[in-house]
Amino acid sequence: VVIVSNRGPLSFRLDANGDLVATRGAGGLVSGIAPLVVDTDTLWIAAAMTDGDRVAARRGRQEARGFNVRTLDLDPDEYRMAYDVVCNSTLWFLHHHLFDLSRRPRFDRPWREAWRAYRSVNLAFAEAVASEAPSGAVVLVQDYHLLLVGAVLAARRPDLRVVHFSHTPFAAPDLFRVLPDDVATVLLEGMAAHVACGFHAERWARNYVDTSEQLLGVVPRTFVSPLAPDPEALAREASSAAVEAAVAELEAEVGERALLVRVDRIELSKNLLRGFLAFEDLLEHHPEWQGRVVFHALVYPSRGALPEYLAYRSEVETVVARINGRWGGDGWTPVVLDQSDDYPRSLAALRRADVLLVNPIRDGLNLVAKEGPLVNEVDGVLCLSPEAGAWEELGTAALRVDPFDVPGTADVLHEALTMAPAARRARAIDLRAHAGARTPRHWLADQIAVAG
Ligand code: G6P
C-alpha cells in the first residue's frame, strides 16, 4: 500500500545543529490515517510544505517516529499557487459551501495560472508514485489536492490499483457548476479515473455521483467508509504523563465550574464565531451560568497565508476578548482561547469535558466528535451539528445543534449542562459504542476491498 496526500504525517524543521526534527502533521486526515501506518513499511508520499520539509525531501526517504515518508520538493511558487489558490481558496470553499458568491470565486488570469500549477503538482505526485510504487500496489490518494493523480497513473502504471478518498464533504451539484466548465470536466474526469472514490458519509458520495452524472454524464463508482480513531492508541496517548499533567492543570484552573470544550483548527467551516456567540447568549439568557461555566476552546491557527483565515482568526480573538471583557471578572475568565496546538492539553480537555461542542457549518467527518466520547471520563454530552459527516454515525446519541441558529445552540448547551446524570450516562455509553464501532483498520480494509 502506498499513501499519497498533500500533508504528510510529519512536519520537519531544522534545529540549531542543522538536524531535522519531526513533529506531527496537522488536521484530521493525518491524525486519522497515521495510526494505520506507524511502524509498518507503508510508504507515504507527501508534499514538502515547510523549509525543513524541503531539506528532508532532498535527503531522500525519511524514517522517523515510525513513518516511512517521501516528501516531494516541488517548485515553491507553483506549489503555493496550487495549495493556496486552487486547493484552499477554491476547492475547500466549494465543498464546504463557503463562497460568498457575489464576490468570490473570481476565475481571473492569476487563477488560471494557479490552475496550471495545480495540474503540474498533480503530475509531479503521479510521477513520484509511478517511480516508487511496487508492482500491483494499492495506491490510496487522499483529498481535493490530488484529484488528477489517478488519471495520470491509469496511463503510466496500469498495474496499480488507485483509489481516491475525500476527507471533505462534496459540493452540491448546483454549486459545483460555479467552476469553469473545462475545470469541472478535468476534475470530474480525474476522479472518475480511479477504481472508486470514497467518502466519510452517504451525503457526500451522493453529491459526487449527482454532480458527475449531471455535468459529465458518467455514473462513477463510489464507496462510503467513515474513518475512526484507533481506540487503543488513543487510550494510550490519553493516559500519558503529559496528559495527566495537563488534566491536573486544567482541574486546578476550572475548579468546581462546569467545563465546555471545543477542539478545532481555526477554520471557517468549523463555525467558531457562532459557537462563541451562542455561549454569550447562554450567559445572557440563562444567567445562572454566569461564573459557573468555563469554555475552553483549544483552537489552533491554520492556513495563515489566506486572508480569509487571518481575518477569521482576528474576528475570533475580538469576539472572545469582548465576551471576556463583558462577562468575566472575580477570577472567572468565561472563554479560554488556547491557540497553542498542544495535543496533550487537547486530550486532557476532552477527558474532562462536561460538554463538547462540535458545530461545523459543513464537515467531511469530524474526528474530534469521535475522539471526545472515547476518552471522556465524566459522561460528557456531545452537542453535534448534523452538517458533520460523523452525524450519520453519532446523531442518535448526540444533542443536535443547528450550526446557524445562535440562540438555538445556546439552548442546547443549557440542555447539555443541566442533563440528569442517568441520561448523561446512557448517552455516553451509546456515544462510545458508536464512536468505537470502527477503527482505522476498517477504513483501510474498505479501500483494499474496493481496489479488488
Ligand atoms: C483537512 C483536510 C486535510 C488537511 C487538513 C489540514 O483535514 O481534509 O487534507 O491536511 O484539513 O489542513 P492543511 O491545509 O493544514 O493541510
Side-chain angles (χ1 to χ4, degrees), residues 160-197:
L160 299 175
R161 291 163 294 158
V162 190
V163 176
H164 189 273
F165 196 91
S166 293
H167 296 265
T168 62
F170 199 89
D174 278 349
L175 195 58
F176 203 89
R177 288 174 194 274
V178 162
L179 293 176
D181 290 347
D182 62 312
V183 172
T185 303
V186 168
L187 292 174
L188 292 170
E189 282 175 354
M191 289 182 79
H194 296 86
V195 176
C197 291

Side-chain angles (χ1 to χ4, degrees), residues 5-7 26-30 49 83 88 92 96 142-145 166-168 265 267 270 302-303:
S5 67
N6 174 60
R7 184 180 286 280
L29 181 158
V30 164
M49 297 180 76
Y83 177 67
N88 290 338
W92 182 271
H96 290 85
Q142 310 299 310
D143 255 345
Y144 53 98
H145 315 86
S166 293
H167 296 265
T168 62
R265 287 188 297 117
E267 157 59 54
K270 303 290 184 188
S302 169
R303 303 182 187 162

Side-chain angles (χ1 to χ4, degrees), residues 38 75 139:
V38 78
D75 175 76
V139 179

Side-chain angles (χ1 to χ4, degrees), residues 229-240:
D230 178 342
E232 281 163 29
L234 193 60
R236 241 189 342 267
E237 284 169 314
S239 60
S240 70

